[in-house]
Amino acid sequence: GGRTSPPVSSGDVRAMSSSADDLRGSASEPGAAVAPGTPSPLDRLPGEDVPGDTAIAGDASTDPSVAPPGTPSWFDASAFASPSFDAAAYVDDMSAYVSMDALREELESYQRHLRRLLVDAVNEDYDVFLSLGEGLVDVRKVVEDDMEGPIAAFKRDVTDTRAEIVALLNDLREKLRRRAECAERRATLELMLDANNVASKVERLLDQLDSGDDENEASDDEAKEKENGGGAGWTWKGPDEKEAKEKDDDDASDVDSDDDSADAAFESEIAAAAAAEVFSVAETSVAGLDALRPGVAADGPSAAALALADDVSRADASSTPASASAASKTSRASDLRERCRLLERVAGEANRSRFFQKIGDEKNLAFVKGLRSRVENSEERLADAVAKATSLACAARDAVSVARCFSAYVALGRVSEAERAIRETRVAPAVKEALRTSNTETGSATETNYSSGGASNGASNDATAASHFGALLKKCVAAALRSVDVELAVTCPDWGLGPDEESSGVTTSAANLDARVCVLGASVLAEIDDQISSLAPSAYTPGAPEAFFQNHLAACAAIDVLEKNLPPTKAALALFRDSEPVRVFFKRWNVAAYFALRRREIVARLEADLEEDRLTRAVGAPGSAGAAFATAAAAGTYEALEKCFDTERVFLPRATDKFVKLAAQILARFGGWVAAGAKAERPSRSPPEADLKSAESGNESGDVSSVSGSAEPPPVASWGATASDEDLLSLREDVVVLVQRVENELAPRVENALRRTLGDAAAAAAREVLVCGAETLVDSDAEAADVSSLTSSESSSPSERILSATQLLDERLVSDVVKRCATALGQLKGVTATFRMTNKPMPTKPSHFFSGVVDPLRRFAESDATARASEKTRRAIVDAAVAGVCAAYAAAAADLTVSVRKTEASLNRLKDRKGTRDPSSGGVAKESGEASDGPTDAQKICRQVRLDAEAFGRAVAKLGFDTGKSDAFGKLWEVCGEGEPFVA
């Protein structure tokens, strides 16, 4: 058609080749095998017919199965056209003949040949391919005429169908909405009907119960009149037309209200019970069955029959009075149980009525709200009936009836009324009787016998008053528990009635009385607390701590007794502890004021022992807390800690947090007192050295202050200003003993005491506080502190370090020893005067100077106070003291040697200018009597310093100091050793 054929690129060839492969695969049926040599449809030219039984004999330019010229003979191109060709198998087969590189080159060359064949085949008939669509004319018109009509019709059908579906869906939604509204209205109507029916049923049942009560009372009155001979008995006059008409009206109203058969059976059951009560009351009268015998009437039995029956009845009653009385009691108990059971069921209906009222309030239903007055009136009537039944049940001590009444109160939601009824009918009389009996036994009803005692009675009356209060409280609790034994039994979850047919299978677990009725809290404890607090109000005052302590322990013991009698459930215990009477009872005891008084006593005694100006000896009887300590401060601290947790006289479990905090404060106060004394400076007029011998033979009256001169020393602000080494060592050992006793004795005792009352968590917390507070006084890793760093010049200042009490005492001891040794170090400069400008030979032995340095160390290390310390403590303090002296010794020796060498150098320069120094000599100048070839003065002085340092090292080695491992002594020998090794 005049179109030119665009060239085909190699990329197009790749795409076309893939399409050709797809066409080749789809040309045959799936799974059909192609016979070898069968020509492919792509191998022929367009328009060329190839016979089916004739194979095309092509060459390399047209047949892809023929290899191009120049191809090796081992390369078979026809193998790739085989349907069972496997590339991996082909490569494995060919690898036996040729290398992989040669095979790869031939395959790439054959691939390029195939691409050229594909490009030529496409370009050969490209014009014919493009002219295929030129014969097609008016395609759009054909499409529009043949396709648009059916498509439009289909679209209209879909639109109409969709509109119908939407209409049906909207109609369905409207019907569902109306159905929901109808269901809601029906539910509301049913709720209104149920509320009205239940309210009417409760009123009708209460009317029947009240009528039964009235008939019982009438029967009792008639029985009494019969007994007194003033009445002729009851005469049967036939059915009352008015009553029959009212009964018919009630039956009709029941049918109209659509009550079910269960309600009718329930009402008939109540009516039968009421009738049974009428007959039972008549049977219990003195006249017996005579009260129920009908009198003479026109349509009644004959007089002879009545007289005969009367004689037989009187004969039976007179013959068996005991059996009649027992039967009467059994009948009364049965009737009471039946009445309580009916009241429980009526209370369940009243509970339903109250539930309907709640729903009506939520939905704002005016009709249901209008029933509120009727419902409340019915509940009041029912509550009165249950209260009467509860009084009768408690008086009869019938557990079944009491359980029924409790369940009825639970259903009514008026458990407090049941608890108040038990308190008034059972607990109050028992407690009053116990108080009256106690007053009779003690011979006095005054308050002072049961209170903590006034100031005029003195401390001797406190214990007596506390003893009376505890005994009185214990007696009241025992009497109250005896009075409510039945009520407590029925609140247990595992309580069940007996095996008799009348009460079998009935339990109170369904009502959860243990979690709802708190007899011991609201009834027993409230009444006991009210009567005892009005009788002895001063028993609760903390003004007399000893009596308050005893009274409070008695109160806690009473609470423990009540908790032991609770039902064995967590719900019962939680209900009791959360009840208002328990909170009011414990609120009467002002534990905070009691603790304040005890704290004042303990702190005052402790402050008296922690004297600021002196350190006194402990004076204590054998076996007491003070006997284990050498200082009164440590003994007083431990006594204060023991008093905090004295369970016999001071400690109250309800103030555990306060006493534990006070114990921690006492330990901190003792640590601060020790730190203040250890950091105190000695007065300027005090001698720098406190001789241990004078301290040991000094004042025996307990004052351990250091001995000074005859003049009066100025007043000091801290005990540390006058404390000797023995005092400091004794105090240090007391600190260690205090920590050990707190950790090993006091803390376990406190933990055991608290575990019984407050549980494991509180006991562990209290022990941790005590142990941590004690550990702050000593090092946590060892008994003795490593005080070598305390005297190091590179260490930080004390204000920047947090040191324990033992570390501060160690630092103070080391500092005192070093200061005493430093006094002797001041004589080191005298060595210069010994050899300067003299003819003394080179020294060969140490001077007297080193003994003045070693003696304070020796006296300290060999003193009795140091010997009493533990080996680890003594070793650490002595080593630290020696290290401090070595540091001071090294500094003084360095200053001396530097000064001597500078002086000699100055003299040499001076003699050089005068020309009097012999250049060949190492001496200073030739003076009269001097040897020109002898050692110089500086050499003699340095030699003397070395000999003294060597003697010092040997002396401290005898004290157990390891000179080879000490850095401080190494620095000293570096200054004084003249480059030679030290030999101990």
Side-chain angles (χ1 to χ4, degrees):
R3 298 184 181 179
T4 60
S5 300
V8 180
S9 62
S10 61
D12 297 334
V13 171
R14 295 189 186 95
M16 294 171 66
S17 63
S18 62
S19 301
D21 294 338
D22 297 338
L23 292 175
R24 183 181 293 109
S26 62
S28 60
E29 295 182 0
V34 179
T38 303
S40 174
L42 296 178
D43 296 338
R44 62 183 176 84
L45 297 177
E48 181 181 1
D49 295 333
V50 179
D53 55 350
T54 303
I56 299 177
D59 54 7
S61 61
T62 58
D63 189 358
S65 62
V66 179
T71 304
S73 60
W74 52 265
F75 186 80
D76 184 11
S78 62
F80 302 114
S82 175
S84 60
F85 174 76
D86 187 3
Y90 177 78
V91 172
D92 291 339
D93 294 341
M94 297 303 297
S95 63
Y97 306 103
V98 296
S99 63
M100 291 293 103
D101 294 338
L103 179 62
R104 182 171 59 252
E105 291 179 359
E106 293 301 327
L107 289 174
E108 291 176 353
S109 176
Y110 182 66
Q111 182 183 18
R112 290 191 296 269
H113 172 66
L114 292 178
R115 288 179 178 176
R116 285 194 300 270
L117 293 179
L118 182 59
V119 171
D120 294 340
V122 173
N123 289 335
E124 183 176 1
D125 297 324
Y126 193 71
D127 293 338
V128 179
F129 174 73
L130 292 178
S131 64
L132 291 177
E134 293 180 356
L136 300 177
V137 294
D138 296 335
V139 177
R140 183 180 297 276
K141 182 178 180 181
V142 173
V143 172
E144 291 177 355
D145 294 342
D146 296 342
M147 300 298 294
E148 287 186 357
I151 291 175
F154 179 74
K155 185 176 181 180
R156 287 192 302 270
D157 293 342
V158 170
T159 304
D160 295 342
T161 304
R162 184 177 184 277
E164 292 179 2
I165 293 174
V166 170
L168 291 175
L169 181 61
N170 292 335
D171 183 60
L172 179 60
R173 289 176 177 173
E174 180 64 20
K175 290 181 179 180
L176 290 176
R177 185 185 63 80
R178 293 171 56 190
R179 180 181 178 182
E181 291 180 355
C182 293
E184 184 178 359
R185 293 178 181 177
R186 178 188 178 95
T188 302
L189 181 60
E190 291 178 354
L191 175 65
M192 296 166 60
L193 290 176
D194 289 342
N196 182 63
N197 292 338
V198 172
S200 301
K201 183 195 302 184
V202 172
E203 292 174 347
R204 189 164 53 252
L205 297 177
L206 289 175
D207 291 339
Q208 293 181 5
L209 287 174
D210 292 341
S211 64
D213 292 339
D214 295 340
E215 292 177 358
N216 288 341
E217 294 176 358
S219 300
D220 291 339
D221 295 339
E222 291 177 359
K224 292 180 180 179
E225 292 179 0
K226 183 71 176 179
E227 180 182 0
N228 297 330
W234 176 71
T235 304
W236 182 76
K237 298 180 181 180
D240 191 352
E241 295 180 359
K242 184 176 180 181
E243 293 180 358
K245 186 175 182 302
E246 289 179 354
K247 185 176 183 304
D248 294 338
D249 293 340
D250 291 339
D251 295 338
S253 63
D254 291 342
V255 174
D256 294 338
S257 62
D258 196 17
D259 286 341
D260 51 10
S261 60
D263 295 338
F266 182 39
E267 294 174 8
S268 62
E269 187 178 2
I270 291 181
E277 291 179 3
V278 174
F279 286 99
S280 64
V281 172
E283 289 175 358
T284 57
S285 62
V286 179
L289 295 176
D290 295 340
L292 296 179
R293 184 180 296 110
V296 179
D299 53 351
S302 63
L306 292 176
L308 181 59
D310 189 17
D311 293 340
V312 173
S313 174
R314 292 180 182 275
D316 294 339
S318 61
S319 60
T320 59
S323 60
S325 176
S328 175
K329 292 181 180 180
T330 304
S331 177
R332 284 198 301 269
S334 177
D335 294 339
L336 179 60
R337 290 186 180 184
E338 184 64 20
R339 180 173 180 81
C340 292
R341 186 180 67 84
L342 297 178
L343 287 174
E344 180 185 7
R345 295 190 60 183
V346 176
E349 296 296 327
N351 191 7
R352 287 183 57 198
S353 181
R354 187 167 61 254
F355 171 75
F356 290 141
Q357 285 294 315
K358 181 180 179 181
I359 300 299
D361 293 340
E362 293 177 356
K363 295 185 176 181
N364 196 19
L365 300 179
F367 178 79
V368 179
K369 289 182 178 180
L371 299 176
R372 184 180 300 278
S373 59
R374 295 173 56 191
V375 172
E376 292 178 353
N377 185 28
S378 299
E379 287 187 356
E380 293 297 332
R381 294 174 58 191
L382 180 59
D384 294 339
V386 175
K388 294 179 181 178
T390 303
S391 300
L392 295 175
C394 292
R397 311 308 295 151
D398 184 66
V400 178
S401 302
V402 172
R404 298 290 189 189
C405 293
F406 280 172
S407 300
Y409 274 119
V410 170
L412 288 174
R414 300 190 177 191
V415 179
S416 59
E417 295 183 5
E419 296 168 345
R420 183 172 60 253
I422 295 174
R423 175 181 176 181
E424 294 174 354
T425 58
R426 300 296 305 169
V427 180
V431 174
K432 289 181 180 179
E433 179 63 22
L435 293 176
R436 186 189 63 81
T437 306
S438 178
N439 293 339
T440 304
E441 293 176 356
T442 56
S444 174
T446 60
E447 174 192 339
T448 56
N449 287 335
Y450 308 108
S451 65
S452 59
S456 60
N457 294 334
S460 60
N461 292 335
D462 291 342
T464 305
S467 176
H468 280 287
F469 181 84
L472 178 64
L473 186 61
K474 183 178 181 181
K475 191 171 185 179
C476 291
V477 169
L481 290 176
R482 287 193 301 270
S483 65
V484 294
D485 53 349
V486 174
E487 289 77 6
L488 289 178
V490 300
T491 57
C492 294
D494 56 350
W495 178 83
L497 303 183
D500 54 300
E501 297 180 358
E502 183 181 358
S503 59
S504 60
V506 182
T507 60
T508 59
S509 59
N512 294 329
L513 297 182
D514 59 321
R516 298 174 181 269
V517 182
C518 185
V519 176
L520 294 181
S523 300
V524 175
L525 182 60
E527 183 64 25
I528 293 175
D529 183 33
D530 187 36
Q531 293 198 26
I532 291 184
S533 62
S534 61
L535 178 64
S538 60
Y540 302 90
T541 180
E546 291 78 8
F548 181 89
F549 174 79
Q550 298 296 335
N551 295 344
H552 188 273
L553 288 184
C556 293
I559 295 295
D560 292 340
V561 171
L562 294 179
E563 290 185 352
K564 290 179 181 179
N565 288 272
L566 286 171
T569 60
K570 292 183 179 180
L573 182 61
L575 181 65
F576 175 76
R577 291 182 176 178
D578 294 340
S579 62
E580 185 65 22
V582 174
R583 288 194 292 269
V584 172
F585 179 73
F586 280 116
K587 193 175 181 180
R588 295 184 185 275
W589 304 93
N590 194 348
V591 179
Y594 167 79
F595 171 76
L597 295 176
R598 289 300 192 184
R599 184 181 185 278
R600 185 182 304 172
E601 295 176 5
I602 296 172
V603 171
R605 183 68 182 90
L606 177 64
E607 292 298 331
D609 292 330
L610 299 180
E611 300 183 40
E612 296 292 341
D613 58 342
R614 59 178 179 172
L615 192 65
T616 57
R617 296 287 184 182
V619 178
S624 62
F629 299 95
T631 59
T637 301
Y638 189 74
E639 288 177 358
L641 293 174
E642 280 195 324
K643 191 170 184 180
C644 288
F645 300 101
D646 185 2
T647 57
E648 300 296 332
R649 292 182 295 273
V650 176
F651 178 74
L652 291 179
R654 293 188 66 241
T656 300
D657 57 333
K658 298 180 176 61
F659 280 107
V660 171
K661 182 179 179 180
L662 177 59
Q665 292 173 345
I666 290 173
L667 291 172
R669 173 69 179 91
F670 178 71
W673 176 82
V674 173
K679 295 178 182 179
E681 296 292 338
R682 293 185 181 275
S684 59
R685 294 180 58 183
S686 295
E689 179 178 356
D691 194 0
L692 290 177
K693 295 181 179 180
S694 62
E696 293 173 0
S697 59
N699 187 10
E700 299 179 356
S701 62
D703 189 358
V704 205
S705 58
S706 59
V707 180
S708 61
S710 59
E712 285 286 338
V716 293
S718 176
W719 59 267
T722 58
S724 63
D725 294 344
E726 183 181 4
D727 299 334
L728 296 175
L729 286 170
S730 299
L731 182 58
R732 190 191 189 285
E733 291 302 314
D734 284 351
V735 172
V736 175
V737 172
L738 174 65
V739 172
Q740 292 176 351
R741 296 196 65 177
V742 169
E743 293 179 350
N744 300 330
E745 298 179 12
L746 183 62
R749 186 165 68 246
V750 173
E751 184 179 13
N752 294 333
L754 294 181
R755 183 179 289 111
R756 295 191 298 268
T757 56
L758 301 180
D760 295 338
R767 180 191 178 100
E768 183 179 2
V769 170
L770 292 176
V771 172
C772 291
E775 287 179 350
T776 57
L777 300 176
V778 296
D779 295 333
S780 59
D781 56 344
E783 174 188 342
D786 184 9
V787 294
S788 60
S789 62
L790 301 178
T791 58
S792 177
S793 59
E794 291 83 0
S795 61
S796 58
S797 61
S799 60
E800 298 175 355
R801 302 193 305 266
I802 300 177
L803 303 178
S804 64
T806 54
Q807 286 177 321
L808 290 172
L809 291 173
D810 293 343
E811 187 181 41
R812 172 62 184 275
L813 284 167
V814 171
S815 176
D816 289 349
V817 174
V818 171
K819 286 180 182 179
R820 293 197 295 270
C821 294
T823 303
L825 286 174
Q827 303 175 7
L828 184 62
K829 295 181 180 180
V831 178
T832 304
T834 303
F835 295 96
R836 180 70 68 186
M837 305 301 291
T838 62
N839 293 326
K840 290 185 177 182
M842 180 70 70
T844 58
K845 62 179 181 179
S847 65
H848 65 281
F849 155 75
F850 93 94
S851 61
V853 179
V854 175
D855 286 344
L857 285 173
R858 184 183 295 111
R859 287 198 299 268
F860 174 76
E862 297 176 356
S863 64
D864 295 338
T866 307
R868 287 195 298 269
S870 63
E871 177 63 24
K872 194 171 186 179
T873 302
R874 188 185 69 82
R875 184 74 271 149
I877 297 176
V878 171
D879 289 350
V882 173
V885 174
C886 289
Y889 198 163
D895 292 342
L896 177 62
T897 54
V898 170
S899 176
V900 168
R901 290 188 177 96
K902 287 182 178 180
T903 302
E904 184 172 354
S906 299
L907 291 175
N908 288 336
R909 287 193 297 269
L910 179 62
K911 297 303 180 180
D912 286 341
R913 288 195 296 268
K914 292 182 177 181
T916 58
R917 186 172 72 91
D918 186 1
S920 62
S921 65
V924 178
K926 289 184 178 181
E927 299 292 340
S928 59
E930 275 190 25
S932 59
D933 55 354
T936 63
D937 293 342
Q939 292 174 348
K940 296 176 182 179
I941 293 172
C942 290
R943 178 59 60 85
Q944 186 64 59
V945 171
R946 173 192 168 186
L947 293 174
D948 292 341
E950 189 175 9
F952 173 79
R954 293 191 180 98
V956 296
K958 293 180 180 180
L959 298 178
F961 183 75
D962 191 352
T963 56
K965 297 181 180 179
S966 174
D967 294 337
F969 186 81
K971 292 180 181 179
L972 173 62
W973 190 250
E974 182 180 354
V975 173
C976 305
E978 298 181 347
E980 298 181 7
F982 173 76
V983 179

